């Protein structure tokens, strides 16, 4: 007899001994030592490959009371053995039969805790496999619990989602197809786990029993958590060559649960901090702060992916839907993850595309979210490292501008000029102002926002140098060029006699506060950069090699380490920018001079 066989027989003998001892005892006389001996002997049988003998012991009618009280202790070694065997292994099948017997015979409360403990202890590649193995046993055990079913469902779902949230969400097409850690498969299996509890809520929805309300709350919590993970970070677009996207299917199932328990419409419209549509407002006051991401994801699913849209009442105006979604847009755009930012931009764009141009009333800008949305777009445009998202953000900002009425555009431009703190964005806004002025002049109608005294107030924001001649002209070059181009346009298009834009009224102030300081600043900047170039060339001649890495300080800021040749290129590029500004400035001044001379000559002729 081999040593392994000897150990196995000893384990069986130990198990038989503890079973025979406990068979003659009443339940109340079982000792802690008995529980421990039963667990150790059972574990040894499993580890030594004697699952068949252990199964016989558990199936023996005489041992029913023992299994009821002590069987749950075998869950840990049993799960470990099941996961270690291959699918087709006979030993795995015997272990699964043992698990099934434990579920039928053991104390449900103790077994529930034992099963959840195994889920809590799992990690890595075994997480999904362990959860999928134990979902059916968990469901059966909970259905046997009558008094605390809601609590047990909530505890189980929370434990499962906490463990799953440690796994990365597959994002690319290949990752989704491979589903390496079985996350997609497991998520859909969890939905199947909830179905009898959803059915129970649906069946008893007309009653007001506290137990049913509690169960409904637990299912709502599960849906909100699932929306936050994995759906918030998941890529949910339809993919070629994938017949059914597993995470899209999961999203559909979650929305299906919300529909079944009557929380779909309240969830979609829970855009205010004190929305009273939800049942049990006390519960929601606690959870809503943690649910903003989930509700934002839900709106994305409905309005962008059209999951559940068929169940959505199509009676709301586009502007109301935009208002409802602005908080969700804000939540998504404040995140930094690529997938979440993309969802925010897509949701914002989708809501805007429902509106006609110039139809969004300026009064909406009295809502905080409508102002912060433009600021959030600017942050994505200027700070996001992903080029596609920066471009998309710019497109959405333009779409946002286009939807407002004239006063709304005016207010938005003023806000962006004051808050963006980015020359490129400011230059873009100035170009938009020019377009609106052009439309006003071409239409030949009285436009009080982009002509006359209101436009003058806006132009004061445009034709200025924040720090006078000391302004960093290189950093502000986009804004300065846009302002000069606007001024050139106004001088050409608006005659002094008409003065519809008011530019001739403020020309003296513009010259004093913008053009003259710009001249001075250009001279200072060019002299500074030319000196830097001269010093750089002298240093290069003294150096042994032109590839020596060194540093240069320009405008008080140290340039990154680069070769002398590269730094010279940067300095020459700066000079080229200054020359470009200077040429446009000269052209503007020339046009002003010609216009003023023409008016003067005309006045002399009249006299």
């Amino acid at each position: 007899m081999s040593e392994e066989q000897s150990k196995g027989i000893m384990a069986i003998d130990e198990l038989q001994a503890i079973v025979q001892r406990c068979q003659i005892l009443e339940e109340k006389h079982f000792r802690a030592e008995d529980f421990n001996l039963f667990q150790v002997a059972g574990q040894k049988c499993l580890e030594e490959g004697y699952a068949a003998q252990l199964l016989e012991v558990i199936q023996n009618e005489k041992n029913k009371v023992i299994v009821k009280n002590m069987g749950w202790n075998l869950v840990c070694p049993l799960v470990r053995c099941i996961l270690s065997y291959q699918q087709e292994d006979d030993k795995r099948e015997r272990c699964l039969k043992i698990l099934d017997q434990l579920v039928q015979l053991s104390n449900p409360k103790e077994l529930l805790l034992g099963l959840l403990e195994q889920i809590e202890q799992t990690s890595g590649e075994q997480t999904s496999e362990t959860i999928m193995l134990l979902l059916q046993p968990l469901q059966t055990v909970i259905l046997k619990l009558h008094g605390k079913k809601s609590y047990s469902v909530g505890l189980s779902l929370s434990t499962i989602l906490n463990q799953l949230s440690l796994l990365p969400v597959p994002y690319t097409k290949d990752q989704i197809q491979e589903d390496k850690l079985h996350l997609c498969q497991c998520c859909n299996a969890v939905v199947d786990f909830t179905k009898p509890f959803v059915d129970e809520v649906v069946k008893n929805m007309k009653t007001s029993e506290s137990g049913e309300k509690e169960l409904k709350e637990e299912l709502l919590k599960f849906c909100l958590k699932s929306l936050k993970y994995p759906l918030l970070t998941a890529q949910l677009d339809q993919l070629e060559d994938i017949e059914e996207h597993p995470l899209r299917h999961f999203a559909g199932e979650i929305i299906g649960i919300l529909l079944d328990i009557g929380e779909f419409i309240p969830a979609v419209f829970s855009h205010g901090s004190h929305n009273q549509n939800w049942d049990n407002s006390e519960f929601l006051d606690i959870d809503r702060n943690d649910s903003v991401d989930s509700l934002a994801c839900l709106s994305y699913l409905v309005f962008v992916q059209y999951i559940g849209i068929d169940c959505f009442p199509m009676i709301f105006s586009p502007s109301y839907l935009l208002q409802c979604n602005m908080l969700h847009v804000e939540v998504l755009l404040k995140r930094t993850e690529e997938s979440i930012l993309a969802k925010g931009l897509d949701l914002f764009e989708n809501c805007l595309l429902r509106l006609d141009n110039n139809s969004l009333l300026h009064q909406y800008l009295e809502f905080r979210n409508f102002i912060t949305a433009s600021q959030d777009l600017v942050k994505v445009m200027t700070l996001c490292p992903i080029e596609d998202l920066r471009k998309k953000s710019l497109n959405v900002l333009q779409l946002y501008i286009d939807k407002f009425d004239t006063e709304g555009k005016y207010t938005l431009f003023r806000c962006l000029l004051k808050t963006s703190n980015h020359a490129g964005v400011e230059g873009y806004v100035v170009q938009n102002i020019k377009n609106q002025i052009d439309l006003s002049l071409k239409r030949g109608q009285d436009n009080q926002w982009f002509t006359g005294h209101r436009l003058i107030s806006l132009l004061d924001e445009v034709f200025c140098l924040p720090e006078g001649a000391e302004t960093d002209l290189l950093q502000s070059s986009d804004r300065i060029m846009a302002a000069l181009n606007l001024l050139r346009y106004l001088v050409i298009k608006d005659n002094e006699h008409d003065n519809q834009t008011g530019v001739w009224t403020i020309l003296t102030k513009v010259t004093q506060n913008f053009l003259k300081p710009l001249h001075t600043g250009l001279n200072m900047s060019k002299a500074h950069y030319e000196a830097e170039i001269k010093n750089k060339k002298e240093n290069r001649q003294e150096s042994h090699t032109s590839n020596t890495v060194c540093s240069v300080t320009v405008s008080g800021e140290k340039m990154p380490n680069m070769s002398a040749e590269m730094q010279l290129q940067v300095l020459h590029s700066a000079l080229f920018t200054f020359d470009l500004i200077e040429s446009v400035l000269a052209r503007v001044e020339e046009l002003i001079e010609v216009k003023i001379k023409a008016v003067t000559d005309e006045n002399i002729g009249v006299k």
Side-chain angles (χ1 to χ4, degrees), residues 169-200:
V169 179
Y171 190 73
T172 66
K173 178 182 174 181
D174 289 342
Q175 289 172 346
I176 292 169
Q177 285 181 309
E178 182 185 10
D179 195 16
K180 183 178 180 181
L181 298 178
H182 307 294
L183 174 66
C184 303
Q185 183 183 355
C186 188
C187 286
N188 285 294
V190 175
V191 170
D192 291 335
F193 165 81
T194 66
K195 285 185 176 176
F197 311 115
V198 174
D199 291 342
E200 183 174 329

Side-chain angles (χ1 to χ4, degrees), residues 221 224-229 232 283-296 331 335:
K221 286 181 183 179
L224 293 176
K225 287 181 179 179
S226 298
L227 288 165
K228 187 170 183 177
Y229 175 92
L232 183 63
F283 150 69
L284 285 159
D285 285 341
I286 296 170
D287 265 43
R288 186 175 277 108
N289 289 334
D290 298 325
S291 302
V292 288
D293 289 335
S294 306
L295 297 174
V331 166
R335 298 288 290 268

Side-chain angles (χ1 to χ4, degrees), residues 476-522:
S476 304
S477 60
D478 287 340
R479 176 185 177 136
I480 292 168
M481 285 295 292
L484 287 172
N485 282 322
L486 174 58
L487 184 55
R488 179 174 60 179
Y489 166 83
L490 293 173
V491 171
I492 292 172
K493 287 286 185 180
D494 196 11
N495 294 318
E496 189 174 355
H497 289 304
D498 298 329
N499 196 21
Q500 289 178 267
T501 63
V503 67
W504 296 99
T505 304
I506 62 169
L507 190 56
T508 302
K509 184 169 37 169
V510 171
T511 302
Q512 194 66 33
N513 295 340
F514 182 57
L515 300 182
K516 284 186 177 179
L518 183 55
H519 262 299
T520 305
L522 283 169

Side-chain angles (χ1 to χ4, degrees), residues 280-334:
N280 198 334
S281 58
E282 192 173 308
F283 150 69
L284 285 159
D285 285 341
I286 296 170
D287 265 43
R288 186 175 277 108
N289 289 334
D290 298 325
S291 302
V292 288
D293 289 335
S294 306
L295 297 174
C297 182
L298 177 61
S299 277
Y300 168 81
L301 294 176
V302 174
F303 295 110
V304 179
Q305 296 296 338
Y306 302 113
I307 300 173
I309 195 71
D310 293 343
C311 303
F312 189 80
M314 307 306 286
I315 58 174
F316 304 104
S317 68
S319 57
Y320 180 70
L321 289 179
L322 175 64
Q323 183 184 350
C324 291
N325 278 303
M326 287 305 278
L327 175 61
H328 304 318
V329 168
E330 181 183 11
V331 166
L332 297 172
L333 292 185
K334 287 194 185 305

